[in-house]
Amino acid sequence: MSFNELNSTEHYIIHQLSGSNLNRPDVSEPNDSYGRQWVYKSSQELQRGVNEVLLEKELKDALIRLNPEITANPVFADEVIYKLRAILLSVNQTGLVRANEEFYKWLTGDKTMPFGENNRHVPIRLIDFDTNDNNSYIITNQYRVHNRETKIPDIVMLINGIPVVIGEAKTPIRPSVSWLDGAYEVHEVYENAVPQLFVPNVLSFATEGKELYYGAIRTPLEFWSPWRLEEDKQDLAKQFGLEGIGKELSDLLSPKRLLDILLNFSLYSTNKKKHRIKVICRFQQYEGANKIVERVKEGSIKKGLIWHFQGSGKSLLMVFAAQKLRRQKELKSPTVIILVDRTDLDTQISGTFNAADVANVESTDNIKELQKLLERDTRKIIISMIHKFRDAKPNMNTRDNIIVLVDEAHRTQEGDLGRQMRAALPNAFLFGLTGTPVNKADKNTFWAFGAEEDKGGYMSRYTFHDSIRDNATLPLHFEPRLVDVHLDKEAIDKAFAEFAESSALTDEEADALNKKAARMAAFLKSPERVEKIVKDIATHFKEKVAPQGFKAMIVTPDRYACVQYKEALDKYFLQEASRVVISTSANDPFEFKQKWGLDKSQQEKIIDEFNNPKSDLKFIIVTAKLLTGFDAPILQTMYLDKSLKDHTLLQAICRTNRLFPQKSFGRIVDYFGVFDDAAKALQFDEESVKTVITNLALLKDKLPEAMEKAMSHFEGVDRNIEGFEGLEAAQNAIKDDKKKDAFAQDYKYLSRLWESLSPDRILDIYHKDYRWLSQVFESVRPPGDNLGKLLWIALGAQTTKLMHENIHVGEVHNLDEYRLDADTIESIFNNPDPANAKKLEKTLIKRFKRHAGIEKFKKLSERLEALRDKAEQGLITSIEFVKELCKLAKETVQAEKELEEMVEEKSPKAALTELFLELKSDQTPAVVERIVNDIDGIVRMVSFPGWQTTSSGEREVQQSLRKALLKYKLHKDQILFERAYGYIKEYY
């Protein structure tokens, strides 16, 4: 038996989760060996119609089993099922996320019905979260569902008859196919074609037997996450292929884990665009939050350190932990305090909790308010700043079910304020969360929060390597710039020695620092230096950042330097392209405060504008603000001209490492020289820090080898041959799928290097070869949008631009005996050999047949016939015949050239666009471009050479066109259909 998607990956998943071996039904293992897990039932065994999402018999049995009022009166179960059906049907009106959120309330027991005595409302349980064995767990495959069309997901998992997990399995033996293809089918195809199947969905997963990724409904593919095994930090299981995936699947989809994710690790939030989104936990958030909950429930160890790298989702971890702690009955309604030490962090955390609609959250505006809440014994989630514990009374609240989660636990939390907070809440649990702990004599995060019982001083660690591996954050690239504008390091160290080692400096402290080091400040802000740096920033941004659609932050030495940079930058960009974000003090001149001062709402407005890809705002200029607690995924490049140390340095540069579509790394352009000894910035973990920054010099070293590897697929191919012969030779070198996939893999790695380095001058020497490779890659790239996503997905902007500018392969013609061009015609004209003239005549006749129906070629054909008649009648000499024939040939070449230009100008998509715009009425959707793209993609997938001459080809294309028009409710417009089909027949 050969390996394929069904018998390898799909059947393996079912065997791993249920014990049933579909490849060998006679040797299926008993379910006992898997505990109370999933039971396999084939889709034929399930009692349901193709239009039904729920297994209503299973669901009715569960409702009767779990609800005493329904047990007493089973008819009530039908009323609940009727309500659930209504939510499924509402998905087309309300949207998938809102329908899923409404169903979630039923799944988690938040809905009531008047089934009690005297019509009293009682909670309805669809699932038993306390006793897992009270639920039924069914896994099935090839689960056929029909809505507008029929779809058949590979794996469907149902709890009490409710489909809560959808899985897609892909083949493990084709390198061009990956989990991404499966995720694409779930996210782009199934969620849109059969959305009612996803209304009860907890999560979906995809795997090709090598990697496992999962995501919630409507989660873009770049935000799908891997699942890791807690005890398997070194990825040892990955060495065993399917076995590793099996372990991860069994762990993620065990009933206990899945129900925990459903109840405690699912959120509905509102994003910046005011869209409702669903969020489920990543592995590190699940592990960290549960370790906090378990430690509190055990009660013996009263503190712990969560050390997760910057940008890996600590804010959400706190939301999940707080939410689960509040649900623990044995904790008797605990108080959870979220503590931050800066206003911007307070705003960020409050925003995260508020956007997620977490219940019972209080934010405190002042010290008295916080103290009042604690003295009144408030049992809620309280978000506050550490500074509000200033002058707090000892023993303000001595309860032992108060849990304090300290965000960015490496600054003021270890000083006097931290001690006052501990004295005020002597029996509270204290958990520190940080991406950058400090391990120094006077400020020690491990001492303050790490428990002796925890190996290494932390209860959960998620490293830089982990976050990059799991695509939770992006790599950081570092570019040292302009050595002549760097400072003398010794002079800097001497100036800084006058200050005690400080944590994050405020704007005012930064000003004070520069007053202490007047000479340094004078050098930093000298107009010549600033002018030189800003000129470099302008060039760099226009060449490297703007073409990708990203934005930038400029970090300057102090507040007045921010203004200086802004004024210099305005010479290169519109004024609207940059904004200064600083704080002002009472001692500042009135004019300065009036021009540059910002209140909280103004700052938030600037941040929202910066996060909008369509806005004119491209730069934010800061000195201390927004270096922490600022989440702007569109920020890719930081221009750094300020001395930062320790955790402040790493926190600042990690503003650039957030995920964003088409963004593959964060970039720090260093004008100050702070990375000359980067490893010393974090003395607690020197080895780890050494790998945080990828110096572009290393990438340059990798480029020659990457280029050589990509070119090695074309040994013996003459790259100087142009036109179709050269392209054909290149394509023949990678003729089969295996060779194509290998080339795609090497080319994609090369293109990433190219994107990172562009426009560095080192690329000049490789430009010709890279352009040639790009052309070949494009020529063999699959046409369908959903094919081989891992190796064939869209390339970076620089490469795409280069390809667009340089791909001029043109149409491939079969030219028979003669290449009809100027040189050939000239040769015949000067050497009127009758044999050659005869060949030319035959070639012209074939050309005219090819262009039959075009008036210009019809006239040329008639002239050729008249010329032949004259020659046969002896009215012209053979020499005159050849000359006239050559004249006709020249006109034919010119006519073909004009035709090519016209066809090129009027591409298939252009023709369709022209048609839709011409026929556009009030009923036609505004998204003409999207309609045309859909039709173009579908027709290209189903059409084949010569389809117009076969009934099956015409039928296939007509059906595909109908489906594309149906999506936009245009399928009943017969005139539009006929005109569009006519265009497709002509142009495809």
Side-chain angles (χ1 to χ4, degrees):
M1 182 187 284
S2 62
F3 304 119
N4 58 40
E5 186 177 289
L6 182 69
N7 69 29
S8 52
T9 318
E10 186 178 314
H11 286 182
Y12 177 78
I13 292 168
I14 291 167
H15 178 251
Q16 187 66 24
L17 294 174
S18 70
S20 295
N21 188 339
L22 301 190
N23 292 339
R24 301 175 64 191
D26 52 315
V27 294
S28 289
E29 298 163 24
N31 288 340
D32 295 353
S33 63
Y34 289 83
R36 187 69 174 88
Q37 298 284 312
W38 302 91
V39 175
Y40 174 75
K41 289 189 180 181
S42 69
S43 53
Q44 292 79 19
E45 293 176 72
L46 304 177
Q47 298 176 22
R48 59 177 284 273
V50 72
N51 295 309
E52 296 171 347
V53 165
L54 307 170
L55 301 183
E56 294 192 1
K57 185 183 181 304
E58 287 281 338
L59 179 53
K60 188 169 183 177
D61 290 346
L63 286 165
I64 294 169
R65 187 169 67 248
L66 301 177
N67 299 275
E69 293 80 7
I70 301 178
T71 307
N73 191 348
V75 177
F76 286 158
D78 294 324
E79 287 189 43
V80 175
I81 292 172
Y82 176 81
K83 292 268 189 189
L84 299 178
R85 274 202 226 111
I87 301 172
L88 298 177
L89 292 171
S90 73
V91 66
N92 292 320
Q93 285 73 45
T94 63
L96 182 51
V97 176
R98 291 200 178 275
N100 185 271
E101 185 174 6
E102 183 64 18
F103 209 103
Y104 169 83
K105 293 171 186 173
W106 283 92
L107 286 173
T108 53
D110 283 348
K111 287 290 187 176
T112 62
M113 292 287 280
F115 296 160
E117 200 173 329
N118 299 321
N119 293 328
R120 179 175 54 86
H121 272 259
V122 293
I124 301 300
R125 291 202 301 168
L126 304 186
I127 295 173
D128 191 334
F129 289 97
D130 299 321
T131 309
N132 289 347
D133 286 357
N134 274 348
N135 305 307
S136 75
Y137 305 96
I138 293 174
I139 182 170
T140 187
N141 63 331
Q142 304 300 307
Y143 193 83
R144 189 179 295 268
V145 181
H146 180 79
N147 184 26
R148 290 186 290 270
E149 50 188 306
T150 301
K151 292 297 173 191
I152 313 172
D154 292 341
I155 304 288
V156 176
M157 303 172 74
L158 306 100
I159 299 179
N160 294 340
I162 303 166
V164 291
V165 174
I166 308 298
E168 197 65 17
K170 288 295 168 191
T171 175
I173 59 171
R174 278 214 58 201
S176 71
V177 175
S178 81
W179 68 268
L180 209 50
D181 293 276
Y184 179 91
E185 276 189 62
V186 171
H187 179 62
E188 296 288 347
V189 181
Y190 299 156
E191 284 185 17
N192 293 314
V194 285
Q196 71 273 30
L197 178 61
F198 292 84
V199 171
N201 184 266
V202 176
L203 61 87
S204 299
F205 72 87
T207 180
E208 81 290 60
K210 291 176 274 191
E211 290 186 291
L212 168 72
Y213 277 73
Y214 68 98
I217 53 160
R218 297 296 188 223
T219 301
L221 302 188
E222 60 264 30
F223 294 106
W224 280 47
S225 312
W227 186 259
R228 302 295 176 193
L229 302 177
E230 189 178 329
E231 69 279 2
D232 185 26
K233 294 292 187 184
Q234 301 305 315
D235 276 350
L236 294 175
K238 289 292 179 193
Q239 298 169 14
F240 304 106
L242 285 171
E243 185 180 342
I245 294 301
K247 287 179 181 178
E248 291 172 357
L249 271 170
S250 300
D251 192 62
L252 172 63
L253 299 177
S254 67
K256 182 181 177 184
R257 181 91 67 226
L258 191 59
L259 292 178
D260 194 18
I261 291 172
L262 167 62
L263 185 63
N264 299 305
F265 293 89
S266 302
L267 294 173
Y268 296 87
S269 185
T270 305
N271 66 13
K272 298 281 185 186
K273 296 178 181 176
K274 309 300 180 191
H275 295 157
R276 204 71 179 146
I277 58 171
K278 182 177 182 180
V279 180
I280 58 174
C281 58
R282 286 177 173 265
F283 163 74
Q284 74 274 11
Q285 294 161 339
Y286 183 87
E287 179 202 54
N290 270 332
K291 286 195 170 180
I292 290 172
V293 173
E294 289 309 311
R295 182 153 292 184
V296 173
K297 284 166 71 175
E298 287 166 7
S300 55
I301 305 171
K302 304 288 283 189
K303 64 179 183 176
L305 179 63
I306 306 285
W307 179 4
H308 288 192
F309 189 72
Q310 292 295 333
S312 55
K314 289 188 294 299
S315 296
L316 279 174
L317 190 159
M318 287 193 287
V319 175
F320 292 132
Q323 190 170 253
K324 187 165 183 177
L325 284 164
R326 293 276 303 152
R327 281 203 177 104
Q328 302 305 303
K329 292 173 185 173
E330 57 265 57
L331 296 184
K332 299 172 184 175
S333 190
T335 300
V336 181
I337 302 175
I338 311 291
L339 277 187
V340 299
D341 76 339
R342 287 185 69 128
T343 306
D344 46 9
L345 289 172
D346 189 10
T347 304
Q348 182 197 3
I349 297 295
S350 299
T352 304
F353 273 81
N354 293 337
D357 294 338
V358 178
N360 295 311
V361 175
E362 291 268 3
S363 284
T364 57
D365 291 328
N366 53 58
I367 297 169
K368 286 182 181 176
E369 208 173 287
L370 172 63
Q371 292 179 351
K372 200 178 288 182
L373 285 172
L374 291 170
E375 287 168 355
R376 287 179 180 173
D377 203 21
T378 304
R379 308 289 181 110
K380 292 184 177 182
I381 298 169
I382 301 171
I383 301 174
S384 184
M385 289 176 65
I386 185 74
H387 303 92
K388 290 166 191 173
F389 276 95
R390 190 179 293 118
D391 303 324
K393 303 169 190 170
N395 301 317
M396 189 184 296
N397 194 313
T398 58
R399 260 194 299 122
D400 62 0
N401 65 342
I402 295 176
I403 303 103
V404 182
L405 305 179
V406 180
D407 188 33
E408 299 303 352
H410 52 244
R411 295 197 290 236
T412 46
Q413 329 296 14
E414 294 94 0
D416 290 338
L417 289 172
R419 282 190 282 276
Q420 284 172 306
M421 181 262 292
R422 286 164 171 79
L425 307 171
N427 297 316
F429 288 85
L430 299 174
F431 295 98
L433 292 93
T434 183
T436 51
V438 175
N439 188 19
K440 295 185 176 179
D442 57 338
K443 291 182 186 293
N444 193 310
T445 314
F446 295 96
W447 168 83
F449 294 98
E452 290 179 12
E453 294 84 348
D454 293 328
K455 184 181 176 184
Y458 46 84
M459 59 192 280
S460 173
R461 172 117 191 250
Y462 191 68
T463 67
F464 173 75
H465 302 292
D466 295 332
S467 69
I468 298 296
R469 174 200 64 191
D470 295 344
N471 201 31
T473 64
L474 297 172
L476 297 171
H477 289 180
F478 159 62
E479 289 186 34
R481 304 286 281 189
L482 303 176
V483 175
D484 55 327
V485 300
H486 280 188
L487 295 170
D488 181 331
K489 291 292 288 180
E490 289 182 18
I492 297 172
D493 292 341
K494 187 177 178 184
F496 270 94
E498 297 180 25
F499 264 62
E501 286 253 346
S502 179
S503 57
L505 299 176
T506 66
D507 290 346
E508 290 78 12
E509 287 170 336
D511 286 349
L513 172 64
N514 283 299
K515 284 175 187 172
K516 287 279 183 180
R519 281 181 304 164
M520 181 175 68
F523 173 78
L524 286 174
K525 296 190 288 185
S526 67
E528 297 84 1
R529 180 177 183 273
V530 171
E531 196 63 49
K532 184 179 278 191
I533 289 174
V534 169
K535 183 180 179 182
D536 188 64
I537 288 174
T539 304
H540 185 278
F541 183 85
K542 287 172 183 175
E543 290 181 346
K544 280 193 165 186
V545 186
Q548 319 282 352
F550 303 132
K551 299 193 177 185
M553 174 184 276
I554 302 175
V555 184
T556 78
D558 62 31
R559 296 178 306 149
Y560 290 95
C562 289
V563 174
Q564 199 177 352
Y565 269 75
K566 163 71 176 159
E567 289 170 349
L569 204 64
D570 286 347
K571 297 174 187 175
Y572 299 93
F573 299 91
L574 295 173
Q575 284 194 7
E576 298 78 26
S578 61
R579 291 295 299 267
V580 170
V581 180
I582 56 175
S583 58
T584 55
S585 69
N587 297 326
D588 287 324
F590 175 75
E591 295 79 10
F592 185 84
K593 284 191 288 187
Q594 190 176 42
K595 188 169 183 180
W596 304 109
L598 295 171
D599 60 29
K600 193 173 180 180
S601 65
Q602 288 172 319
Q603 182 174 313
E604 286 174 4
K605 192 176 176 184
I606 290 172
I607 291 170
D608 287 342
E609 188 184 349
F610 186 74
N611 274 308
N612 178 2
K614 295 179 181 176
S615 76
D616 293 327
L617 182 58
K618 307 301 180 190
F619 297 90
I620 286 186
I621 305 171
V622 303
T623 184
K625 274 188 173 293
L626 305 187
L627 295 186
T628 59
F630 176 55
D631 193 21
I634 199 169
L635 170 62
Q636 188 232 23
T637 297
M638 174 179 285
Y639 298 104
L640 185 57
D641 191 27
K642 175 178 180 173
S643 181
L644 298 173
K645 289 177 175 258
D646 301 331
H647 52 272
T648 315
L649 167 61
L650 195 55
Q651 273 201 308
I653 64 177
C654 287
R655 298 307 100 202
T656 67
N657 76 347
R658 305 316 197 249
L659 301 179
F660 191 77
Q662 302 302 316
K663 180 174 161 186
S664 53
F665 58 87
R667 181 193 284 116
I668 300 89
V669 181
D670 174 27
Y671 293 101
F672 198 96
V674 293
F675 287 105
D676 293 347
D677 51 355
K680 294 177 184 176
L682 292 171
Q683 295 172 8
F684 60 83
D685 192 11
E686 190 165 323
E687 289 304 311
S688 175
V689 177
K690 283 177 184 174
T691 58
V692 170
I693 308 302
T694 304
N695 195 315
L696 286 189
L698 299 178
L699 297 184
K700 290 180 186 180
D701 293 341
K702 291 176 182 177
L703 183 64
E705 186 184 347
M707 180 64 73
E708 188 180 339
K709 198 170 180 188
M711 295 298 285
S712 69
H713 297 278
F714 304 97
E715 284 182 17
V717 175
D718 187 349
R719 297 196 302 281
N720 294 315
I721 300 176
E722 296 182 349
F724 74 92
E725 295 100 333
L727 182 60
E728 198 173 41
Q731 290 178 344
N732 285 336
I734 50 171
K735 208 163 192 175
D736 60 57
D737 284 346
K738 189 176 179 182
K739 288 179 179 177
K740 275 197 188 80
D741 289 336
F743 165 59
Q745 195 161 14
D746 291 339
Y747 175 82
K748 192 150 191 320
Y749 175 70
L750 173 64
S751 73
R752 281 178 180 164
L753 279 178
W754 194 274
E755 291 298 310
S756 300
L757 291 168
S758 179
D760 195 289
R761 297 306 298 269
I762 192 175
L763 301 180
D764 291 357
I765 56 176
Y766 300 105
H767 186 270
K768 186 179 176 184
D769 287 343
Y770 186 69
R771 173 182 152 192
W772 186 86
L773 287 168
S774 300
Q775 292 172 341
V776 175
F777 178 85
E778 185 65 26
S779 77
V780 296
R781 191 174 181 173
D785 283 346
N786 58 345
L787 298 176
K789 282 284 171 184
L790 188 64
L791 294 181
W792 302 93
I793 51 177
L795 302 165
Q798 296 288 348
T799 300
T800 306
K801 183 182 173 189
L802 182 147
M803 289 164 73
H804 287 174
E805 285 175 352
N806 295 293
I807 293 176
H808 302 295
V809 175
E811 189 180 349
V812 177
H813 295 293
N814 181 3
L815 301 178
D816 297 310
E817 301 90 350
Y818 269 106
R819 183 182 304 219
L820 194 60
D821 56 21
D823 291 340
T824 306
I825 296 165
E826 197 68 30
S827 173
I828 295 170
F829 185 85
N830 294 327
N831 302 288
D833 184 330
N836 282 339
K838 198 68 182 170
K839 285 181 180 178
L840 179 57
E841 187 183 334
K842 283 183 179 178
T843 301
L844 284 173
I845 291 167
K846 285 182 181 177
R847 290 300 181 87
F848 295 150
K849 280 182 182 175
R850 184 186 300 162
H851 301 305
I854 299 175
E855 188 63 29
K856 185 175 279 189
F857 289 98
K858 189 178 175 184
K859 288 180 178 177
L860 288 167
S861 178
E862 288 169 357
R863 282 174 55 192
L864 176 61
E865 285 303 311
L867 183 63
R868 290 171 71 188
D869 287 344
K870 280 185 180 180
E872 284 174 11
Q873 294 170 26
L875 299 176
I876 54 174
T877 65
S878 58
I879 298 291
E880 287 172 325
F881 174 75
V882 171
K883 286 184 176 180
E884 286 298 317
L885 189 66
C886 288
K887 186 179 176 185
L888 257 177
K890 282 182 179 178
E891 289 183 44
T892 303
V893 170
Q894 182 60 31
E896 284 189 329
K897 189 178 178 184
E898 288 169 4
L899 178 66
E900 278 185 24
E901 287 173 358
M902 189 180 78
V903 169
E904 206 171 286
E905 196 176 296
K906 196 166 186 178
S907 66
K909 285 171 74 171
L912 282 171
T913 303
E914 187 181 278
L915 167 68
F916 275 91
L917 291 173
E918 178 192 332
L919 297 179
K920 191 173 179 184
S921 66
D922 294 341
Q923 282 72 44
T924 311
V927 285
V928 169
E929 184 182 353
R930 200 181 302 164
I931 298 172
V932 170
N933 285 339
D934 281 0
I935 294 173
D936 180 73
I938 291 171
V939 172
R940 287 186 190 279
M941 288 288 283
V942 301
S943 62
F944 51 88
W947 66 268
Q948 296 94 333
T949 59
T950 67
S951 56
S952 62
E954 289 199 313
R955 188 170 58 250
E956 192 75 32
V957 171
Q958 285 174 353
Q959 286 175 353
S960 300
L961 176 59
R962 287 266 187 220
K963 282 182 185 176
L965 292 174
L966 176 65
K967 183 176 176 183
Y968 299 94
K969 304 292 185 288
L970 297 172
H971 55 293
K972 292 181 181 177
D973 189 335
Q974 190 59 26
I975 295 173
L976 177 64
F977 173 81
E978 287 172 2
R979 290 281 301 277
Y981 180 67
Y983 270 71
I984 289 167
K985 203 167 180 179
E986 180 180 351
Y987 288 103
Y988 285 83

